[in-house]
Amino acid sequence: APTPSPTTISSTLCDGREEQKIQTRTTRGAAAASDSPPGAGPGCQVRGLTTCLILSLFLIMYHLSSYKLYSSRDDFLLDAFARTFEPIAPEDAVDRVRRGLGLSTHLASYIINEGSKGKQFAYAKGVVDAGIVSVAIEHLNNCGEGFDSGQPKFRFRGLTKWSSDIEAYVDEPSLWLGILRGSISKGMAHGKRKNFYMKRKIAKAFGPLVDCMRDDTNRVSFQSNEHWHHLLPSFIELVEDLVRDNDETEIAYILVRHEGLMELLARCMFWIYRPDITKEVGRYESGQDLQIAKVTGVTKSVATLRQVY
């Protein structure tokens, strides 16, 4: 007998709705064909994959729409200043630094050192008047303690999303030294006399930090060898800033009373001959600037202090 043609011609839609069943009967021993699963055709698979890709791309673009790409750190900090500091009083900004919030500490150090004109400079003078020097000294006096490893740390990223937790916490103590240096060298104090009083205040409170920095055998500050290295350039430059003017003899007298400071300044000029120190130099981004390029500044500081030693 002749082989019969399919009794029913049907198709299955890609969205899974079945219009008809394809059933083929043969005359001899052939099993009935199974039902075609929804979307099993090649055309359906391609269209399904395309739809998934389009939806995924849409979700990614929607997620990234709340982020902003910054071309540089300065670009980010200027935008952060407008978003974070401008809407609040300088006293509130100082309180954020007191609480150890990372972005605010970066901002304070940045505007004090780089905000040479305009609203950033005016705001920087406001935070200095509001007591940020005392706050920075207070943090630096805790150099024998470490940072809470469980706290989120603030890190600059080129692609940034502004959210409630962007502040995170600071773990770069060199920022506090930057605040001190900028406060006495960038014209933040109102008048020469007030600047002198600020220098004297810093010099008197220098003791705990000297205790941490003078140990060039263990080389640990804030329980970290890396922090010790990163603090050192700003520490040396701060000493130089404090005694730079010829009429700062009183400041020099205060500094030389801190046990170990003179010895540290003298030894660091010869660190290039210390393999235990030079071996560590390349590990950190401070690089060779740390012990070698700062020698001239150290020599000036030692020469000034030796006059009253």
Side-chain angles (χ1 to χ4, degrees):
T3 302
S5 60
T7 57
T8 306
I9 300 176
S10 62
S11 64
T12 303
L13 298 179
C14 291
D15 60 5
R17 289 175 299 165
E18 191 175 68
E19 286 185 339
Q20 295 175 331
K21 289 185 177 179
I22 302 176
Q23 295 178 344
T24 304
R25 291 190 178 92
T26 59
T27 57
R28 295 179 182 174
S34 60
D35 295 342
S36 298
C44 295
Q45 292 178 349
V46 171
R47 285 193 292 273
L49 180 60
T50 303
T51 302
C52 289
L53 289 174
I54 292 174
L55 288 174
S56 299
L57 182 61
F58 173 79
L59 290 174
I60 292 172
M61 295 300 294
Y62 177 79
H63 182 65
L64 290 180
S65 65
S66 57
Y67 284 74
K68 182 175 179 179
L69 181 63
Y70 295 92
S71 59
S72 68
R73 188 185 185 92
D74 285 359
D75 183 30
F76 166 75
L77 289 173
L78 287 173
D79 192 23
F81 171 79
R83 291 171 178 260
T84 306
F85 271 12
E86 277 194 304
I88 64 176
E91 293 79 8
D92 295 327
V94 172
D95 182 64
R96 291 185 178 190
V97 176
R98 179 180 290 108
R99 288 186 282 137
L101 298 184
L103 177 57
S104 290
T105 305
H106 274 268
L107 280 177
S109 182
Y110 176 76
I111 63 173
I112 288 174
N113 286 281
E114 305 296 335
S116 57
K117 60 182 179 179
K119 53 190 176 182
Q120 288 91 11
F121 182 74
Y123 199 94
K125 293 188 106 175
V127 297
V128 170
D129 289 341
I132 199 168
V133 168
S134 297
V135 170
I137 291 173
E138 181 181 341
H139 281 303
L140 288 167
N141 282 348
N142 293 323
C143 61
E145 303 176 5
F147 293 99
D148 184 356
S149 60
Q151 290 181 334
K153 302 300 187 292
F154 174 79
R155 288 289 184 272
F156 167 72
R157 296 289 185 268
L159 190 63
T160 302
K161 179 181 181 181
W162 289 95
S163 63
S164 59
D165 62 348
I166 192 174
E167 277 277 13
Y169 291 90
V170 66
D171 68 342
E172 298 179 50
S174 58
L175 292 171
W176 297 319
L177 272 177
I179 289 172
L180 296 185
R181 291 198 63 220
S183 297
I184 62 177
S185 64
K186 299 293 183 179
M188 294 294 137
H190 299 282
K192 187 174 182 179
R193 198 63 189 166
K194 188 171 182 179
N195 194 59
F196 169 79
Y197 290 140
M198 191 180 296
K199 284 185 174 183
R200 187 170 65 180
K201 179 178 183 177
I202 294 172
K204 285 183 175 181
F206 220 42
L209 185 58
V210 173
D211 290 340
C212 289
M213 301 304 298
R214 69 178 181 172
D215 184 359
D216 61 350
T217 301
N218 293 312
R219 299 182 294 281
V220 172
S221 183
F222 292 93
Q223 298 183 5
S224 166
N225 174 256
E226 182 176 2
H227 288 325
W228 187 88
H229 278 278
H230 287 168
L231 277 170
L232 192 61
S234 294
F235 174 81
I236 292 172
E237 289 169 340
L238 179 59
V239 173
E240 185 182 0
D241 291 340
L242 289 170
V243 298
R244 177 173 289 135
D245 297 332
N246 293 329
D247 59 347
E248 305 295 16
T249 305
E250 181 181 347
I251 305 297
Y253 270 114
I254 295 171
L255 288 175
V256 297
R257 291 193 185 104
H258 294 305
E259 184 179 356
L261 178 60
M262 283 294 295
E263 291 81 357
L264 170 68
L265 294 176
R267 286 198 307 270
C268 73
M269 290 187 289
F270 301 96
W271 279 341
I272 192 173
Y273 305 109
R274 289 272 305 272
D276 56 331
I277 291 179
T278 56
K279 185 178 180 180
E280 294 175 348
V281 172
R283 293 184 190 173
Y284 311 117
E285 59 181 301
S286 302
Q288 294 293 326
D289 290 345
L290 189 57
Q291 287 88 4
I292 300 172
K294 301 299 179 185
V295 168
T296 302
V298 174
T299 306
K300 291 179 181 178
S301 299
V302 170
T304 304
L305 293 175
R306 186 169 292 172
Q307 297 174 8
V308 297
Y309 190 58

